[in-house]
Amino acid sequence: MRITKVYTKTGDDGTTSLSDGSRIKKNSLRIISIGSVDELNASLGMVLSTRPVEIISKLLRKIQNDLFNLGGEISTKDLNLKLVSIDDIKLLEESIDELNSDLPALKEFIMPRGTDIVSRLHFSRTICRRAEVDLVNLSQIEKINSIHLTYLNRLSDYLFVSARYQNNYDENNEIFWDK
């Protein structure tokens, strides 16, 4: 695919194209879901611009590609392209376990703050949660691939553990919730 022209003017009426060429309103739940995944992807680009530790940045680069695939799959009604798979979810789970093995057990909720990198990871986690909710909303009216929900759920867990890992790596104390 080669994009030679950025503007097409076809969306000036408030509609956009899905991958099959059909047109839908830009405020449809499907487009909202795609937009949330795109926003999440952009936020991960912001995380990467702050140069997190290599074990995190390496996987975040892969996750950005996964999110493009996920958005592409959401834009294909009734077609499972298998671009996002159970193997991608397993990789997230293995990475969570690996990062978490070096961290102290949590006994209280932690505040989502720390260095710039850590704060951006937490912010990306919240965007991921919203993308998941948007996809749940879509699933209530249209068929979706359930792997997408599992992937986003696991990704938000990964981003939480990554923020804790980066904070620990940077030798910053976590700030606990003051009940």
Side-chain angles (χ1 to χ4, degrees):
M1 169 198 255
R2 182 173 176 198
I3 299 172
T4 57
K5 195 172 184 182
V6 175
Y7 61 91
T8 62
K9 301 181 183 180
T10 58
D12 292 350
D13 64 353
T15 64
T16 191
S17 295
L18 293 178
S19 59
D20 66 0
S22 64
R23 300 207 54 87
I24 63 173
K25 289 286 188 184
K26 290 182 179 182
N27 66 346
S28 74
L29 289 177
R30 186 167 298 278
I31 298 305
I32 289 169
S33 292
I34 294 167
S36 294
V37 169
D38 188 33
E39 182 182 359
L40 172 58
N41 204 341
S43 76
L44 294 180
M46 291 175 67
V47 171
L48 286 166
S49 74
T50 60
R51 296 193 166 99
V53 65
E54 181 61 25
I55 193 171
I56 294 172
S57 62
K58 181 179 177 185
L59 187 55
L60 288 182
R61 289 189 294 271
K62 182 204 179 304
I63 290 168
Q64 282 196 297
N65 283 295
D66 290 348
L67 291 173
F68 264 109
N69 289 337
L70 195 145
E73 286 189 346
I74 295 170
S75 77
T76 61
K77 283 184 172 184
D78 304 321
L79 183 63
N80 183 358
L81 302 175
K82 299 181 182 176
L83 298 174
V84 178
S85 71
I86 198 75
D87 290 337
D88 297 314
I89 295 166
K90 285 179 183 175
L91 178 60
L92 288 173
E93 290 171 348
E94 291 166 2
S95 299
I96 290 167
D97 292 342
E98 180 181 0
L99 296 179
N100 210 31
S101 69
D102 292 336
L103 297 174
L106 276 179
K107 296 177 183 161
E108 296 287 340
F109 289 109
I110 60 167
M111 299 304 291
R113 63 183 178 203
T115 63
D116 191 34
I117 298 168
V118 172
S119 297
R120 288 174 192 235
L121 282 163
H122 279 297
F123 189 66
S124 292
R125 174 185 53 80
T126 66
I127 295 170
C128 187
R129 288 279 187 215
R130 183 167 33 82
E132 182 183 7
V133 168
D134 289 343
L135 197 56
V136 167
N137 287 335
L138 175 62
S139 76
Q140 292 176 338
I141 61 167
E142 294 187 44
K143 183 181 174 188
I144 65 155
N145 184 340
S146 63
I147 286 178
H148 298 159
L149 284 175
T150 304
Y151 182 89
L152 289 173
N153 191 1
R154 212 64 81 248
L155 178 55
S156 66
D157 294 335
Y158 172 77
L159 293 170
F160 175 77
V161 172
S162 292
R164 291 195 69 219
Y165 184 90
Q166 183 71 50
N167 215 26
N168 189 58
Y169 180 87
D170 294 338
E171 299 180 353
N172 290 316
N173 292 327
E174 292 179 312
I175 308 298
F176 295 99
W177 173 43
D178 185 16
K179 301 183 227 185

